Amino acid sequence: MKNYHTHTKRCRHAIGEDEEYVLSAIENGFDEIGFSDHAPMLFPQGCGYYSGFRMFPEDAQGYVNSINLLKNKYKGKIRILLGFELEYYPALFEKELKFLKSFDIDYLILGQHYINNEYDYQGHYNAIPTDDENVLKQYVSQCLEGLKTNEFTYLAHPDILNFTGDEETYKKEMRRLCAGAKELDIPLEFNFLGFEDKRTYPRDDFWKIARETGNKVIMGLDAHTPKFFAMKETIDRMKEHLKSLGITPIERPQIKKP
């Protein structure tokens, strides 16, 4: 088994030591995992904003050192990849990408938790319910713009936007998202954290569109605790749910080095 969506306590809402995630993965039959903690963002100086749900820029080197150490320590037992989960904020992306690439990372996944730019108070946190069609359209457009940079291995929780408005508008926009991801040959993640925690995602109406579109689908634990690797019954239940939707997930994406 494999998982490429793994966090660390540096994001300030996960628990456990880095090595505990690795040991739990090995114990539960995983042969490859990727750490993809929330990327530190280089927000503009003087903007007065400091995110509390991701590692800080000064945490990045320690994160990289730790994962690289574990790569070597457990070589032959499990393959470990080093990555980040990153939002696509157009105004920050070029500088941010240069910063993250300086650590010689293996991959990035796109996790668009906000639209527009998080730091300038024009953004919308996508877990908050909204019936605003402009927010929906911006979410889809921003995800697709990010995917088109060709820097991301896959799109995490693509159905995270908690849209409560017109159903047909939702389906139309999500068809646009799914079609764009398929054209780019970028997988979509069916998110275990959302499934296990009974969040507003994964949404069956979204995944029916993904099935009809023929998207590649990958399961991501979105592990915020080492225990996630041991939750075999829930993982099996999620696999059965995907099967009921007519979806056979891929095991491993094409890893794109930024």
Side-chain angles (χ1 to χ4, degrees):
M1 290 190 292
K2 308 178 193 304
N3 174 61
Y4 303 97
H5 197 165
T6 311
H7 292 276
T8 77
K9 64 181 183 180
R10 295 170 189 81
C11 71
R12 294 162 174 80
H13 59 279
I15 60 172
E17 300 301 324
D18 301 344
E19 191 167 17
E20 291 180 292
Y21 286 85
V22 174
L23 291 173
S24 182
I26 294 171
E27 183 180 348
N28 290 286
F30 286 79
D31 58 6
E32 182 167 295
I33 63 169
F35 281 89
S36 50
D37 206 2
H38 292 284
M41 295 294 295
L42 303 181
F43 295 112
Q45 290 186 352
C47 73
Y49 180 82
Y50 222 48
S51 172
F53 80 95
R54 63 177 81 251
M55 71 173 74
F56 298 154
E58 55 267 29
D59 298 327
Q61 189 63 64
Y63 169 69
V64 170
N65 292 347
S66 175
I67 305 310
N68 283 335
L69 181 67
L70 293 170
K71 277 187 181 187
N72 292 324
K73 183 174 181 178
Y74 291 97
K75 188 176 182 180
K77 293 185 178 180
I78 190 171
R79 186 183 184 204
I80 299 173
L81 300 177
L82 170 64
F84 287 100
E85 179 181 9
L86 176 67
E87 281 76 16
Y88 175 71
Y89 297 146
L92 305 181
F93 189 68
E94 185 176 348
K95 184 178 180 181
E96 179 72 16
L97 187 62
K98 183 178 180 180
F99 174 64
L100 297 180
K101 287 171 68 174
S102 72
F103 297 108
D104 193 29
I105 58 176
D106 296 310
Y107 71 108
L108 293 170
I109 59 176
L110 176 60
Q112 198 69 37
H113 298 87
Y114 286 83
I115 63 165
N116 297 318
N117 288 303
E118 174 188 341
Y119 63 89
D120 60 5
Y121 307 103
Q122 296 180 30
H124 169 83
Y125 181 56
N126 292 323
I128 296 175
T130 180
D131 59 3
D132 188 336
E133 294 181 5
N134 290 323
V135 171
L136 172 65
K137 292 174 181 177
Q138 178 61 27
Y139 171 76
V140 172
S141 295
Q142 200 158 338
C143 284
L144 289 176
E145 188 176 340
L147 295 179
K148 286 175 183 177
T149 66
N150 203 35
E151 300 289 353
F152 294 97
T153 287
Y154 72 69
L155 176 59
H157 39 61
D159 48 345
I160 192 173
L161 182 70
N162 189 5
F163 185 72
T164 58
D166 180 68
E167 182 179 351
E168 289 307 312
T169 302
Y170 179 80
K171 289 179 178 179
K172 178 182 177 181
E173 287 300 309
M174 289 306 164
R175 287 191 191 100
R176 182 163 70 94
L177 178 58
C178 288
K182 180 176 173 56
E183 183 178 356
L184 295 165
D185 196 29
I186 294 177
L188 306 176
E189 179 203 75
F190 196 91
N191 188 270
F192 177 82
L193 172 61
F195 182 83
E196 187 277 334
D197 202 35
K198 296 180 174 58
R199 298 187 176 186
T200 57
Y201 63 93
R203 292 179 57 151
D204 283 0
D205 52 355
F206 174 89
W207 292 103
K208 288 174 182 177
I209 293 169
R211 181 200 65 211
E212 293 165 0
T213 307
N215 292 100
K216 289 180 180 177
V217 176
I218 187 166
M219 296 189 300
L221 288 184
D222 201 353
H224 285 72
T225 168
K227 294 179 181 179
F228 270 30
F229 291 97
M231 298 177 69
K232 295 180 179 179
E233 290 185 6
T234 311
I235 292 172
D236 287 342
R237 186 158 47 85
M238 185 171 74
K239 289 178 180 177
E240 285 300 313
H241 186 73
L242 277 166
K243 185 177 179 180
S244 74
L245 293 171
I247 294 173
T248 302
I250 62 173
E251 186 176 20
R252 189 180 197 274
Q254 178 184 351
I255 304 296
K256 294 181 180 179
K257 191 174 180 68

